Amino acid sequence: MDRGSSAVIAYAADRVLNTDPVETIERGVVLVDESRIEWVGRRADFDKLGAGRGAQLVDLGDVTLMPGLIDAHVHLAFDGGDNPVDRMNRESDTQQVALMVRSARRLLSVGVTTARDLGARGYTDVVVRDAIAEGTLQGPRLLTVGAPITITGGHCWFMGGEADSFHDVRKIVRLHHKNRVDQVKVMATGGFMTLGSAPWYPQYETEALVVIVAEAHRVGMRVAAHCHGVEGIRRAVEAGVDTLEHCSFVLEGGELSYDPQLGELIAASRAFVSPTINLRAKDFDPTFIERLGQLRRAGARFITGTDAGIDHVPHHGYPQSLPLYRELGMSTAEVIESATSLAATALGLSGVTGRLAPGLDADLVAVRGNPLDDLSALADLELVVARGRRFVPDELPEIGPLPDDLVPMTERHSFERLDGDDA
Ligand SMILES: [Zn+2]
């Protein structure tokens, strides 16, 4: 189907899985009118209502039809290869856009119908977002942040978002707003991917984060805080950010240890945790999931994101990341909720996507099997519909094992390297 042809389609499936709350309609129908969901219910009721609507019936049979999935943390401009930062720094903005189009298509090819891109150069993300929104390109609905706000020489400074003083940070939020980004990302701590940046060091005083949050919220933009180190996480929470990215509890020197007091603070706050669990999570940081499990038991709310695009994390690895959330003590239903309705709420899209309800955008996936029984069913896609438009998945490259000589990210202390001999 493409836009312009018959507009009303009834997708029938043996199981229609809704997400708020998570419940299954046996033999259900989702009626789609152009880009929107018009009706959701049982096949028997649909037949009674009559297809007086002139709907074209597409019977998908033995599949689970459900809302499209959400990845709350991706990097379209990183290629997921050996050295994505190097590639970004070599490429022109035009080349970056080409890469971003491929990344976006790969996300949609595995059923991700909404993605929040957390850092791009020169508002290339806004260009790609708009092209998808207007139908020029096919891809997930994108939320953009432009260049992450960071201190001079700080984490991901090369994307162009350096700002230090209160004046600077207020100004860059305004500049981003003027250039029509959707949200703001601030690097509350250093990171693993930037020379001269250490993940455990906070980059801003709480007061500067407060300025960023106030200025962003004033114009209706949410704030995502990249934060690895405990002190930076604490400051981000105190400043009232909306999502905590990574939240990895890194201590001085790179030691990794859950902090129960901070966990309580996070659970009591407004912030959602976007922990960036991806298919490499255990290789990169063998105890990450254990620490997140403790955070979850403290009561924190999690949404799913993968950091797709960073070293060795391809954009089409999303389905493989979801079963790992079970190890945090989440049920399959809770994981599905985190990947759909809860993520939509956290990103400010609850009136747009993440559920099957009349008036919402028709973002749908159908998978063989039943993800409520086994989340790996989400890798077995039968249908992808984004804003009512059917998408034929691209052929995707095999996801290989990690190179043998990989140094885990948690052991790469790039801060030392800035002045060290191997810099
Ligand atoms: Zn990231």
PDB file of all heavy atoms in Angstrom, residues 73-75 78 118 155 185 193 226 245-246 276 307 310, ligand 1:
ATOM      1  N   HIS A  73      16.835   5.827  22.685  1.00  0.00           N
ATOM      2  CA  HIS A  73      18.207   6.339  22.649  1.00  0.00           C
ATOM      3  C   HIS A  73      18.966   5.734  21.466  1.00  0.00           C
ATOM      4  O   HIS A  73      19.449   4.612  21.540  1.00  0.00           O
ATOM      5  CB  HIS A  73      18.913   5.999  23.972  1.00  0.00           C
ATOM      6  CG  HIS A  73      20.242   6.671  24.154  1.00  0.00           C
ATOM      7  ND1 HIS A  73      20.629   7.233  25.350  1.00  0.00           N
ATOM      8  CD2 HIS A  73      21.275   6.860  23.302  1.00  0.00           C
ATOM      9  CE1 HIS A  73      21.851   7.744  25.219  1.00  0.00           C
ATOM     10  NE2 HIS A  73      22.272   7.517  23.977  1.00  0.00           N
ATOM     11  N   VAL A  74      19.023   6.486  20.385  1.00  0.00           N
ATOM     12  CA  VAL A  74      19.793   6.024  19.226  1.00  0.00           C
ATOM     13  C   VAL A  74      20.708   7.146  18.736  1.00  0.00           C
ATOM     14  O   VAL A  74      20.556   8.312  19.121  1.00  0.00           O
ATOM     15  CB  VAL A  74      18.882   5.580  18.040  1.00  0.00           C
ATOM     16  CG1 VAL A  74      17.861   4.555  18.493  1.00  0.00           C
ATOM     17  CG2 VAL A  74      18.192   6.775  17.384  1.00  0.00           C
ATOM     18  N   HIS A  75      21.650   6.753  17.887  1.00  0.00           N
ATOM     19  CA  HIS A  75      22.531   7.713  17.210  1.00  0.00           C
ATOM     20  C   HIS A  75      22.554   7.347  15.734  1.00  0.00           C
ATOM     21  O   HIS A  75      23.322   6.481  15.318  1.00  0.00           O
ATOM     22  CB  HIS A  75      23.941   7.656  17.793  1.00  0.00           C
ATOM     23  CG  HIS A  75      24.000   8.047  19.227  1.00  0.00           C
ATOM     24  ND1 HIS A  75      24.028   9.364  19.629  1.00  0.00           N
ATOM     25  CD2 HIS A  75      23.980   7.314  20.374  1.00  0.00           C
ATOM     26  CE1 HIS A  75      24.053   9.423  20.957  1.00  0.00           C
ATOM     27  NE2 HIS A  75      24.021   8.191  21.431  1.00  0.00           N
ATOM     28  N   PHE A  78      26.018   7.774  14.002  1.00  0.00           N
ATOM     29  CA  PHE A  78      27.095   6.818  14.267  1.00  0.00           C
ATOM     30  C   PHE A  78      26.746   5.528  13.525  1.00  0.00           C
ATOM     31  O   PHE A  78      25.575   5.135  13.490  1.00  0.00           O
ATOM     32  CB  PHE A  78      27.218   6.522  15.764  1.00  0.00           C
ATOM     33  CG  PHE A  78      27.814   7.632  16.599  1.00  0.00           C
ATOM     34  CD1 PHE A  78      27.411   7.817  17.913  1.00  0.00           C
ATOM     35  CD2 PHE A  78      28.791   8.481  16.083  1.00  0.00           C
ATOM     36  CE1 PHE A  78      27.965   8.824  18.703  1.00  0.00           C
ATOM     37  CE2 PHE A  78      29.347   9.492  16.870  1.00  0.00           C
ATOM     38  CZ  PHE A  78      28.928   9.663  18.181  1.00  0.00           C
ATOM     39  N   LEU A 118      19.793  10.940  19.968  1.00  0.00           N
ATOM     40  CA  LEU A 118      20.361  11.751  21.053  1.00  0.00           C
ATOM     41  C   LEU A 118      21.715  12.364  20.710  1.00  0.00           C
ATOM     42  O   LEU A 118      22.640  12.332  21.515  1.00  0.00           O
ATOM     43  CB  LEU A 118      20.398  10.944  22.350  1.00  0.00           C
ATOM     44  CG  LEU A 118      19.011  10.838  23.026  1.00  0.00           C
ATOM     45  CD1 LEU A 118      19.071  10.059  24.336  1.00  0.00           C
ATOM     46  CD2 LEU A 118      18.401  12.214  23.273  1.00  0.00           C
ATOM     47  N   HIS A 155      32.355  15.640  26.739  1.00  0.00           N
ATOM     48  CA  HIS A 155      31.877  14.467  26.014  1.00  0.00           C
ATOM     49  C   HIS A 155      31.115  14.875  24.742  1.00  0.00           C
ATOM     50  O   HIS A 155      30.167  15.632  24.790  1.00  0.00           O
ATOM     51  CB  HIS A 155      30.975  13.642  26.930  1.00  0.00           C
ATOM     52  CG  HIS A 155      30.516  12.356  26.325  1.00  0.00           C
ATOM     53  ND1 HIS A 155      31.355  11.498  25.638  1.00  0.00           N
ATOM     54  CD2 HIS A 155      29.289  11.781  26.284  1.00  0.00           C
ATOM     55  CE1 HIS A 155      30.672  10.459  25.214  1.00  0.00           C
ATOM     56  NE2 HIS A 155      29.416  10.601  25.582  1.00  0.00           N
ATOM     57  N   LYS A 185      19.449  17.528  24.997  1.00  0.00           N
ATOM     58  CA  LYS A 185      20.288  16.548  25.678  1.00  0.00           C
ATOM     59  C   LYS A 185      21.475  17.271  26.299  1.00  0.00           C
ATOM     60  O   LYS A 185      22.140  18.074  25.647  1.00  0.00           O
ATOM     61  CB  LYS A 185      20.813  15.496  24.708  1.00  0.00           C
ATOM     62  CG  LYS A 185      21.629  14.417  25.435  1.00  0.00           C
ATOM     63  CD  LYS A 185      22.315  13.479  24.472  1.00  0.00           C
ATOM     64  CE  LYS A 185      22.884  12.260  25.194  1.00  0.00           C
ATOM     65  NZ  LYS A 185      23.722  11.447  24.299  1.00  0.00           N
ATOM     66  N   MET A 193      33.332   7.685  24.965  1.00  0.00           N
ATOM     67  CA  MET A 193      33.732   7.751  23.560  1.00  0.00           C
ATOM     68  C   MET A 193      34.589   8.965  23.208  1.00  0.00           C
ATOM     69  O   MET A 193      34.951   9.147  22.063  1.00  0.00           O
ATOM     70  CB  MET A 193      32.490   7.759  22.662  1.00  0.00           C
ATOM     71  CG  MET A 193      31.685   6.473  22.757  1.00  0.00           C
ATOM     72  SD  MET A 193      30.174   6.545  21.777  1.00  0.00           S
ATOM     73  CE  MET A 193      30.822   6.285  20.119  1.00  0.00           C
ATOM     74  N   HIS A 226      22.639  12.680  29.774  1.00  0.00           N
ATOM     75  CA  HIS A 226      23.614  11.593  29.690  1.00  0.00           C
ATOM     76  C   HIS A 226      24.349  11.566  31.020  1.00  0.00           C
ATOM     77  O   HIS A 226      24.926  12.582  31.430  1.00  0.00           O
ATOM     78  CB  HIS A 226      24.560  11.887  28.516  1.00  0.00           C
ATOM     79  CG  HIS A 226      25.891  11.212  28.594  1.00  0.00           C
ATOM     80  ND1 HIS A 226      26.200  10.098  27.854  1.00  0.00           N
ATOM     81  CD2 HIS A 226      26.991  11.511  29.329  1.00  0.00           C
ATOM     82  CE1 HIS A 226      27.449   9.735  28.123  1.00  0.00           C
ATOM     83  NE2 HIS A 226      27.952  10.575  29.020  1.00  0.00           N
ATOM     84  N   GLU A 245      19.919   9.013  30.987  1.00  0.00           N
ATOM     85  CA  GLU A 245      20.488   8.083  30.005  1.00  0.00           C
ATOM     86  C   GLU A 245      21.657   7.325  30.636  1.00  0.00           C
ATOM     87  O   GLU A 245      22.473   7.919  31.326  1.00  0.00           O
ATOM     88  CB  GLU A 245      20.957   8.847  28.775  1.00  0.00           C
ATOM     89  CG  GLU A 245      19.894   9.780  28.181  1.00  0.00           C
ATOM     90  CD  GLU A 245      18.606   9.069  27.812  1.00  0.00           C
ATOM     91  OE1 GLU A 245      18.696   7.987  27.190  1.00  0.00           O
ATOM     92  OE2 GLU A 245      17.515   9.571  28.152  1.00  0.00           O
ATOM     93  N   HIS A 246      21.719   6.048  30.377  1.00  0.00           N
ATOM     94  CA  HIS A 246      22.770   5.135  30.879  1.00  0.00           C
ATOM     95  C   HIS A 246      22.593   4.823  32.361  1.00  0.00           C
ATOM     96  O   HIS A 246      22.337   3.723  32.750  1.00  0.00           O
ATOM     97  CB  HIS A 246      24.184   5.668  30.610  1.00  0.00           C
ATOM     98  CG  HIS A 246      24.382   6.187  29.229  1.00  0.00           C
ATOM     99  ND1 HIS A 246      24.200   5.388  28.130  1.00  0.00           N
ATOM    100  CD2 HIS A 246      24.691   7.431  28.758  1.00  0.00           C
ATOM    101  CE1 HIS A 246      24.427   6.109  27.040  1.00  0.00           C
ATOM    102  NE2 HIS A 246      24.715   7.344  27.389  1.00  0.00           N
ATOM    103  N   THR A 276      19.931   2.281  28.209  1.00  0.00           N
ATOM    104  CA  THR A 276      20.704   1.857  27.035  1.00  0.00           C
ATOM    105  C   THR A 276      21.281   0.448  27.196  1.00  0.00           C
ATOM    106  O   THR A 276      22.489   0.242  27.212  1.00  0.00           O
ATOM    107  CB  THR A 276      21.841   2.849  26.673  1.00  0.00           C
ATOM    108  OG1 THR A 276      22.725   3.004  27.777  1.00  0.00           O
ATOM    109  CG2 THR A 276      21.285   4.201  26.294  1.00  0.00           C
ATOM    110  N   ASP A 307      21.272   2.860  22.493  1.00  0.00           N
ATOM    111  CA  ASP A 307      22.500   3.554  22.097  1.00  0.00           C
ATOM    112  C   ASP A 307      22.952   3.075  20.710  1.00  0.00           C
ATOM    113  O   ASP A 307      24.156   3.136  20.387  1.00  0.00           O
ATOM    114  CB  ASP A 307      23.620   3.329  23.121  1.00  0.00           C
ATOM    115  CG  ASP A 307      24.346   4.621  23.478  1.00  0.00           C
ATOM    116  OD1 ASP A 307      24.091   5.639  22.822  1.00  0.00           O
ATOM    117  OD2 ASP A 307      25.179   4.597  24.410  1.00  0.00           O
ATOM    118  N   ILE A 310      26.607   3.329  18.384  1.00  0.00           N
ATOM    119  CA  ILE A 310      27.927   3.371  19.034  1.00  0.00           C
ATOM    120  C   ILE A 310      28.717   2.115  18.647  1.00  0.00           C
ATOM    121  O   ILE A 310      28.176   1.188  18.044  1.00  0.00           O
ATOM    122  CB  ILE A 310      27.834   3.502  20.577  1.00  0.00           C
ATOM    123  CG1 ILE A 310      27.168   2.273  21.205  1.00  0.00           C
ATOM    124  CG2 ILE A 310      27.113   4.778  20.959  1.00  0.00           C
ATOM    125  CD1 ILE A 310      27.430   2.130  22.689  1.00  0.00           C
TER     126      ILE A 310
HETATM  127 ZN    ZN B   1      24.230   7.677  23.473  1.00  0.00          ZN
END
